[in-house]
Amino acid sequence: MYVQQASKSKCKVAIKPLELENTKEPPLNLYKPKGPYTASIVSVERIVGPKAPGETCHIVIDHGGNVPYWEGQSYGVIPPGENPKKPGAPNTVRLYSIASTRYGDSFDGRTASLCVRRAVYYDPETGKEDPSKKGICSNFLCDSKPGDKIQITGPSGKIMLLPEDDPNATHIMIGTGTGVAPFRGYLRRMFMEDVSSFKFGGLAWLFLGVANTDSLLYDEEFTNYLQQYPENFRYDKALSREQKNKSGGKMYVQDKIEEYSDEIFKLLDDGAHIYFCGLKGMMPGIQDTLKRVAEQRGESWHQKLSQLKKNKQWHVEVY
Ligand code: FAD
C-alpha cells in the first residue's frame, strides 16, 4: 500500500470516504479485548536519528476501514503471547494514541498510524540493558514486519478529541516524545487534508519536548506547515540535552511555556484549548510553571484551572 507522507505544496490532499465526516458522535470501543479486530501491519519505520536516546517508530496499520476513529483517539493493541504475570492468560491490552487523521496516512480511511517508543530496561545496578525485561507490546510493534497480523481494540478516548465547533479557535498543544502523536493527527487535518466540513483558520501552536535534534518527531511535516501557514501555525521545540533554559539548566517544555507565558495566558483567557500529551512525569513541572506564572500575574492558578476545566478548554492525556 502506498503511504503518502508530508507534501511540500500548499495544495491540500483529497480524502475519502467522505462519509467519515457524517457521524455526529465519535466511534467508541467497536472492538473489545475479548473480541479484537485482526488488522495487518503496512509499514514500520524508525523515525529518529542515530543520536536519539532510544528508538521511536512510526507504524502504519491496515484496518480495512473496519475500525474507524477520530483524531485524538487511541487504539488498544494486544501483543501475542502469554501474560507473564498470569500464566495461561493472553497478554493485556496496551493503549497507543493514534498519530494519523481518520483518513490515515494513505488518505483512504483504511489505515491508522501509531508512534511507538520501544520500552527497554536498564539494570539500575549494572547500567546494562536487560532484554528479558524489555517492554512486550512496544517491542512487538517496533519489530513487526509488513503483512504481520495485529490484534487491535477500540477506538477509545474522548478527552483529546479536536473540538471543531469553531474553525477559528486556538489550539495550544504541549507534547513530549510520543505525546506528539495526537497532535500530528490534528495538524494533518488542519493543514494537509482537504476537509470540506473543517476549514481551519485559527491558530495551532505546538510545543514539542524531546532530548535532542535527532529525537525530533515528524519535524519535516511540521516545518512544512510553518512555511505554508505562518499565520496559523507556531512550532516551538525544547531540546533538553542540547538547549539551556534561562537559568542555565536543561530546556524542558515548561521553560518554553514560561518564555511565552503572557501570550499563552491571554490566548487561554480568550478561549484557547490547551492539550498535554506524553509521559506522566511531564505534568508536575508544567503545572508548577503555570502556577508560578499565574501568581506573578496576580491570578489564582487554582481558580484559573477550574475555570479552564469547566469551559472544556483543558485536555490532558498522560501515561
Ligand atoms: P510492558 O511489557 O508493559 O512493560 C512496562 C515497563 O516495565 C517497560 O519499561 C519494561 O521495560 C518494564 N519491565 C518489564 N519487566 C520488568 C521487570 N521484571 N522489572 C522491572 N521493569 C520491568 N506509548 C507509546 O510509545 N506511544 C503512544 O502514543 C502511547 N500512547 C498511550 C496512550 C495512552 C492513553 C496510554 C495509557 C498509554 C500510551 N502509551 C504510548 C504507553 C503504552 O500503552 C505502553 O505502556 C508502552 O508501550 C509500554 O508497553 P510495553 O508492553 O512495551 O511494556
Side-chain angles (χ1 to χ4, degrees), residues 158-165 170-171 268 271-275 304-316:
K158 280 178 129 181
I159 190 84
M160 296 293 280
L161 291 173
L162 179 65
E164 296 190 357
D165 44 332
T170 296
H171 303 271
L268 290 174
H273 287 277
I274 190 161
Y275 310 81
K304 196 165 191 78
L305 180 59
S306 42
Q307 196 60 40
L308 291 171
K309 286 182 180 168
K310 204 166 136 217
N311 296 348
K312 299 195 165 39
Q313 289 170 258
W314 182 262
H315 313 259
V316 182

Side-chain angles (χ1 to χ4, degrees), residues 56 74-75 79 84-85 91-99 114-122 130 132-141 156 178-182 277-280 317-319:
T56 303
S74 301
Y75 267 176
K85 288 182 195 143
N91 268 314
T92 52
V93 174
R94 270 72 163 180
L95 292 178
Y96 293 91
S97 307
I98 299 173
L114 306 180
C115 175
V116 179
R117 183 180 166 93
R118 201 187 268 281
V120 285
Y121 182 84
Y122 290 96
D130 180 348
S132 70
K133 293 181 182 169
K134 66 185 182 187
I136 294 174
C137 194
S138 57
N139 281 276
F140 158 68
L141 286 167
S156 62
T178 56
V180 74
C277 191
L279 290 182
K280 264 193 197 92
E317 186 155 270
V318 289
Y319 39 87

Side-chain angles (χ1 to χ4, degrees), residues 29-78:
N29 302 316
L30 303 176
Y31 292 90
K32 305 207 168 75
K34 288 223 162 92
Y37 180 79
T38 304
S40 56
I41 298 286
V42 176
S43 58
V44 178
E45 186 193 350
R46 178 187 162 108
I47 52 168
V48 289
K51 292 190 191 127
E55 181 169 51
T56 303
C57 297
H58 181 72
I59 299 168
V60 180
I61 297 166
D62 183 355
H63 63 84
N66 296 305
V67 197
Y69 57 90
W70 282 7
E71 300 72 26
Q73 290 192 298
S74 301
Y75 267 176
V77 175
I78 307 176

